[in-house]
Each structure stands twice: as C-alpha cells, then as structure tokens.
C-alpha cells in the first residue's frame, strides 16, 4: 500500500483520466439512446397505457430488474458501505426481511391492485373509502417521492463531486435535466429496459471494487479480521429496546414493514408490476427481487468491510479528504482503481445511471397519479387518451424542476441511506397503514381512514423531526487518525482537537477509539426526548399500528361497515393466502362475511365499479377463489347466445 498515491498518504484525491470521462459519458449515452429508441419506436402509440404501463405486456425479467434498480441503486451503493464503516454488521439482518417483504407484496397487496386494473393505486382508496381519501393518499405519495428523488439526485452528484472535482450543484442540475429529457422521450418501456442494463452495471462495479479492494488489504479474510478487531463485526444484538438503532428485531420486523411500504403500496413499484401481462408474471417479478436484493445488499456490506480495513488508520471524513461518509465509496474506488484509466468512470456511471433510472420511474409515477387522480377526477374527466399521454410528459418535466429545487433540502439530511429510509417511514408507512386498513379490515369506514392516516402522519413527523433536531447519539464504531500524515492532537483542558496541515476540528467523542458502541449513553432526563430515540427502522411498523388502531376505534364509534356489502375484490382474504390448505369450514368464518368464493354477490354501482369492470379491454386478471390464484377473465354479463334473438333494441 505504501507504494501507491493513496489519498490518505498524499492528502490529495485522485481525479478522472480522459478515458474515465469517455467511459462515463459513453455509459450515460447508452442509457439515453435506450430512451430515444423506445421513444421513436412508440411514436405512433400515443396512449397513456403505453406511456405509463408499457402496454401492459412486459416480460417479468425486465420488470424484475427494474424493480430491483429503482430503490436499491445509488442509495444502497453509497449508503451501505458507509454503514459498515461507521457502525457494525448488524445491518446484514435486513436481508432476512426481504423474504417477508416479497411474500406480503406479491400475495397480499399486489393481487388487489392487479385485479382492479388500476393505473394509480390511489384509485383503490376511492373504491374502498371515498374520493377525499384517494386525494389525500395521492398528495402524500407526491410529497414522499419528490423528497426521495431529491435525495437520489443529490447522492450521485455528491459521489461525482468527490471523485472528479466537478461542481456539486452543476452536477445536480445536469443530472436533473438529463433525467427530465430521458423520461419524456422514453416512457415506461424505456425505463424498464434501461434499469435492466443498469443492474448489470451495478453488480459488475461492486464486484470489481470488492475484488480489487480485497487484494489491496491482503485478502478479504484479513479485512474481516481487522473489522472484527475494531468492533465492526457484531451479529448478536437481540435487544428489544426500540431505541437501539439496528437490533436484529428492528431490522427483520421493522425492515419488513419499511420495505413492504415500497414494494407493496408505492405507486412507482406497483406501477412497474402492473406492466406485466399477467398477475402470475408480476408475482414472479417480485419474487426474483428477493435474491437480487440480497446479492446487492451483501456485496455492498462486504465492500464496506474492505473499505474500513483500507482506511482503518486514517478516517477520510475526520481528516478532511471528504465532506460526508457517503463519499467514502467513490473515494475508495479512486484510491484503489484510479491507476487503471476508465474503470472509475464506469463505476461512477453505474451510480449515476442507476439514479437516473430511479428518477425517471419516479417522475413517470408522479405523472401517472397527477393524471389519474387529479386531472381525470377533478379537471377533465373526458380528456382524450392522446392528450392525456402528452400531459404525462409535461408533468414529468414539471416534477423534475420541483425535485431540482428540493435537492438543497436533501443536502441537509445527513447520511443518505438513513435519510431515505426515514422518509419512507414518515410518509410511506402511513400510506401502507391506510391500504392495510382497507384490505385487511372490511369493517373500516372512511372516517377511520381519515383519522388513522392523519394521526399517524402527525406522530411520525413529530418523532422524525424531533430526532433530527435532538440528534440522539448513534454510537458509532471507533475510528483512527494514527496513520494520517502531519496531524497532532491537543487539548485545551475541556475539549480535544485534531490539527493537521492548516486545518483543525473538534474531535467528536462519539467516535473516540475508547468508546464502545454497546455502551453508548442514553439521556433519560426528558421522557419526550426518549421518544426521539426510536430507531428509524421502527418508523414504518409504528406508523402502520397507529393507522390501524386509531382507524378501527373511530370506525367503531362512527359505525362500521357490513363486510357482506363490500365488493370482495377490495378485500384480501389474508387467511386464505397464509393458510391455503385449511379446510373450508375453518376459512369461511375467517373471511368475516366477505364473499371471496365464486361470483361476487354485491354488484357495485357504476361510480364504485373498479376499472376492470368498466373497461373489459384491459385484459386478463387473476381472481382469488378460495385463496388459490386461478387465471380467469372477468367478463361483462351478456345474454346467452340462445336468448340473443329475444333481446329487443329500441
């Protein structure tokens, strides 16, 4: 290691070679060309179904790859290695939650949306509760996605700034503009295929850095030993205390609720699944995400172990080489592979392009909900399909501009991994609670939905904002500056400072080498402050409980619904799904009077009728019959052939 010009040896960061820029720009051009190709190919198909749902005939493989890329691209690549560097291997447990996430998303939530044939998931809320609940859900989703996309836009730009010296905000503007053009040109089909290309790029980039990084530190076994000796390897935190940031229970249970709010009820993800030609294919696409998510997660965790071994004697953040831990991985890539022209460019391109796909799908989904839930409901119900398709492209540009303006807010949120997941807990999880209330509790009414959603949002924002303001001690693992050149440590009797070159800073006691992560003190003086120590991983679980608990109490007060009067397509027979082999005499009472067998007894009015019944041309659907998925086509009632002659037309 001593022979090479590493940043912590020279005090300077390596930068791109000309070939790096060539590969970097070339990779982005490929992504843009995919968008241009599908935009040109579909120039004669001016329909919202083509733009928003890729025609509804996609194969499950590109859909699965796109689902994988959307919420696990730049956030995971930048945040997970930093998590391993700063904390411990406890985060590995979140991989277990992915199994439960895919089960719930594929078998509880997705079938309801698919059977209804909706474009916007918030159409369900109107059928189940009321138009006002639908509008509230759409507004919350829009706010959530704009904040999330601003984080995704800021993250790769930060990485690019760290390794090239390019202006951070110049990069932000460039990425945003490219994304708006890409989304307007390509539509959903281009998004799906570009995401597939980017997943291959991501995995290849992570594998390359893992292998080269292991070589640099003397092998992965050596890196693991170094991490274990410095409190990074820890798998035995089974404390039930909800203030513990990453306990096994928090990551498995809380993580399941956190990610099912993404895969089960988030418009951007559900909209992708709805592009499949059948519910069976949509379920396969979701289940393929389980191994895919685990592969990306654990590769990034392994990179984090190697990354710590590499910088164990000189923390780049404290030393002043980079501004934040999210820049660690790009700095690491430039240190270990900067001497191979072209490779760093490909790596940064994988982060950058993956974020482009996330942004484009987010803009596409925001366009869909604005069209379906606002324009068609309140402004122009009879808008032509061609004009609606054009509007979605205008909306994509509009939302892109809004996200650009919100990127500065994202720069203030701290680590992008925790910030992104906390946003889903504060905004996405109350929406998961609302859909759960509707699908699993047939008695719930609209007043329960309103009150449960409002209470959950208020509580989660109170906790989330309080945690940001009070900044509870996170108990980071120890770091060292012993290997940094030209630094000294001095004390004024009260505080300890680190000084090197012409720069000095206060030495943070939370990362002092003598502080153990297991013994981080918790201030019990203020009971309210204790609430702010709730781990962000528990946000989603807490939010869902609040919605269901408050929603059912208000429902009982205001008058519960009779399950027998509810269209069965709006309710998931959860016991049939979980225990499909139980005898009918046990399952029937567990449906609580909702008729899931055979034809539906209750015929909804035209205003309440789900989209599949309004538009039989949508195609085939899967219907739950006794908890078993059977392929069938919902047909409009027609006279029998032998009775056709008796029908008189006036």
């Amino acid at each position: 290691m001593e022979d090479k010009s590493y940043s912590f040896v020279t005090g300077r960061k390596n930068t791109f070679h000309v070939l790096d820029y060539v590969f970097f720009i070339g990779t982005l051009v490929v992504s843009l060309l995919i968008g241009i190709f599908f935009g040109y190919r579909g120039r004669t198909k001016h329909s919202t179904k083509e733009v928003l749902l890729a025609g509804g005939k996609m194969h499950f493989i590109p859909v699965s790859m796109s689902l994988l890329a959307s919420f696990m691209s730049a956030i995971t690549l930048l945040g997970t290695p930093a998590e391993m560097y700063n904390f411990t291997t406890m985060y590995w447990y979140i991989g277990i939650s992915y199994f439960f996430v895919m089960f719930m998303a594929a078998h509880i939530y997705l079938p309801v949306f698919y059977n209804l044939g909706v474009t916007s998931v918030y159409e369900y809320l109107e059928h189940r509760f009321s138009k006002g609940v639908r509008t509230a859900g759409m507004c919350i989703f829009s706010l959530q996605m704009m904040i999330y996309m601003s984080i995704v836009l800021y993250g790769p730009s930060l990485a690019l700034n760290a390794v090239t010296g390019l202006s951070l905000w110049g990069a932000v503007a460039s990425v945003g503009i490219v994304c708006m053009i890409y989304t307007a040109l390509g539509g959903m089909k281009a998004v799906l295929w570009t995401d597939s290309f980017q997943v291959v790029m991501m995995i290849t980039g992570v594998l390359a850095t893992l292998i080269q990084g292991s070589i640099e530190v003397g092998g992965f076994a050596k890196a693991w030993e170094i991490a274990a000796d410095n409190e990074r390897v820890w798998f035995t935190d089974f404390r039930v205390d909800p203030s513990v940031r990453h306990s096994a229970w928090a990551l498995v249970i809380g993580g399941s609720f956190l990610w099912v709010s993404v895969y089960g009820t988030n418009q951007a993800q559900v909209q992708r699944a709805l592009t499949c030609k059948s519910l069976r294919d949509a379920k396969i696409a979701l289940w393929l995400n389980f191994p895919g998510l685990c592969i990306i997660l654990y590769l990034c965790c392994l990179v984090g172990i190697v990354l710590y071994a590499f910088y164990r004697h000189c923390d780049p953040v404290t030393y002043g080489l980079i501004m934040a831990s999210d820049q660690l991985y790009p700095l690491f890539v430039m240190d270990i592979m900067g001497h191979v022209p072209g490779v760093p460019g490909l790596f940064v391109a994988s982060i950058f392009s993956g974020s482009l796909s996330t942004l484009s799908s987010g803009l596409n989904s925001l366009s869909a909900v604005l069209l379906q839930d606002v324009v068609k409901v309140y402004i122009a119900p009879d808008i032509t399909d061609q004009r609606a398709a054009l509007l979605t492209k205008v909306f994509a540009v509009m939302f892109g501009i809004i996200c650009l303006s919100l990127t500065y807010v994202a720069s203030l949120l701290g680590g992008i991994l925790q910030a992104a997941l906390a946003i889903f807990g504060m905004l996405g999880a109350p929406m998961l609670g609302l859909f759960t209330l509707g699908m699993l509790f047939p008695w719930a009414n609209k007043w329960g939905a309103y009150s449960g959603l409002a209470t959950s949002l208020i509580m989660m924002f109170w906790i989330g904002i309080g945690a940001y303001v009070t900044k509870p001690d996170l108990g980071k693992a120890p770091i060292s500056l012993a290997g940094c050149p030209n630094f000294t440590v001095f004390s004024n009797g009260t505080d300890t400072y680190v000084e090197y070159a012409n720069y000095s800073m206060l030495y943070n006691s939370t990362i002092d080498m003598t502080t153990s992560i297991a013994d981080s003190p918790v201030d019990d003086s203020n009971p309210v402050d204790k609430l702010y120590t709730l781990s962000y991983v528990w946000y989603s679980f807490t939010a869902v409980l609040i919605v269901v608990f408050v929603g059912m109490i208000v429902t009982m007060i205001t008058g519960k619904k009779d399950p027998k009067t509810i269209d069965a397509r709006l309710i998931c027979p959860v016991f049939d799904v979980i225990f499909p082999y139980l005898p009918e005499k046990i399952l029937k009472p567990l449906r609580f009077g909702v008729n899931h067998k055979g034809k539906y007894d209750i015929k909804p009015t035209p205003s309440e009728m789900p989209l599949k019944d309004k538009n039989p041309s949508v195609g085939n659907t899967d219907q739950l019959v006794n908890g078993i998925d059977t392929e069938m086509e919902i047909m409009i009632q027609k006279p029998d052939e032998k009775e056709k002659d008796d029908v008189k037309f006036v």
Side-chain angles (χ1 to χ4, degrees), residues 171-486:
V172 167
S174 301
V175 178
I177 292 170
V178 168
C179 181
M180 285 186 285
I181 296 173
Y182 169 79
T183 306
L185 288 176
M188 178 59 81
K189 192 169 290 186
V191 170
L192 295 174
W193 284 110
T194 305
D195 288 353
S196 302
F197 166 69
Q198 298 306 333
V199 167
V200 176
M201 286 281 298
M202 283 193 297
I203 295 177
T204 302
V206 174
L207 272 173
T209 54
L210 176 61
I211 294 170
Q212 183 61 34
S214 298
I215 293 172
E216 295 285 339
V217 298
F220 183 77
K222 179 65 174 178
W224 187 270
E225 179 183 348
I226 293 170
D229 291 341
N230 290 274
E231 301 185 28
R232 259 60 181 189
V233 179
W234 192 19
F235 291 104
T236 57
D237 193 341
F238 293 98
R239 289 176 287 177
V240 295
D241 183 355
S243 67
V244 176
R245 183 173 178 270
H246 282 169
S247 69
W249 306 113
L251 290 165
V252 175
I253 300 174
S256 295
F257 280 84
L258 189 157
W259 282 106
V260 82
S261 71
V262 175
Y263 277 87
T265 60
N266 183 278
Q267 170 68 23
Q269 294 293 74
V270 175
Q271 188 175 333
R272 279 177 170 76
L274 294 176
T275 64
C276 289
K277 55 188 176 182
S278 70
L279 178 56
R280 178 178 176 273
D281 280 8
K283 289 181 177 180
I284 293 174
L286 279 170
W287 273 111
L288 286 176
N289 269 248
F290 174 58
L293 289 171
C294 289
I295 289 171
I296 293 179
L297 170 71
Y298 292 129
L299 283 177
C300 289
C301 287
L302 295 177
V303 167
I305 295 295
V306 174
L307 190 151
Y308 172 71
F310 187 80
Y311 291 116
R312 65 189 183 276
H313 294 313
C314 184
D315 174 50
V317 179
T318 309
Y319 188 53
L321 287 170
I322 53 178
M323 297 181 295
S325 295
D326 299 315
Q327 293 178 321
L328 276 167
Y329 194 12
L331 179 70
F332 178 62
V333 171
M334 292 305 299
D335 273 338
I336 66 172
M337 307 187 82
H339 63 284
V340 184
V343 176
L346 286 173
F347 169 77
V348 175
S350 70
I351 298 178
F352 199 6
S353 301
S355 294
L356 277 174
S357 66
T358 304
L359 288 167
S360 61
S361 62
L363 295 177
N364 194 276
S365 63
L366 285 168
S367 301
V369 298
L370 186 58
L371 175 69
Q372 297 293 132
D373 302 319
V374 177
V375 175
K376 289 188 175 182
V377 173
Y378 295 105
I379 301 174
D382 300 322
I383 187 173
T384 64
D385 200 46
Q386 184 174 358
R387 186 168 294 179
L390 179 61
L391 265 183
T392 59
K393 298 182 178 182
V394 176
F395 291 156
V397 175
M398 179 186 73
F399 281 117
I401 294 172
I402 294 173
C403 289
L404 276 173
S405 63
L406 289 175
T407 306
Y408 177 72
V409 178
S411 69
L412 305 177
L413 295 178
I416 63 171
L417 179 65
Q418 180 167 333
L421 299 185
I423 290 298
F424 281 118
M426 293 165 62
L427 287 170
M431 290 308 306
L432 171 63
L434 185 60
F435 283 108
T436 301
L437 182 69
M439 294 182 187
L440 302 187
F441 296 86
W443 313 276
N445 62 22
K446 67 177 181 180
W447 304 115
Y450 278 127
S451 56
L453 179 62
T455 305
S456 183
L457 285 170
I458 292 170
M459 286 297 299
M460 297 320 299
F461 266 90
W462 180 19
I463 295 172
I465 295 175
Y468 178 79
V469 173
T470 59
K471 298 188 183 302
D473 183 14
L474 299 180
K476 290 185 177 181
I479 63 164
S480 173
L481 294 171
C484 299
N486 303 322

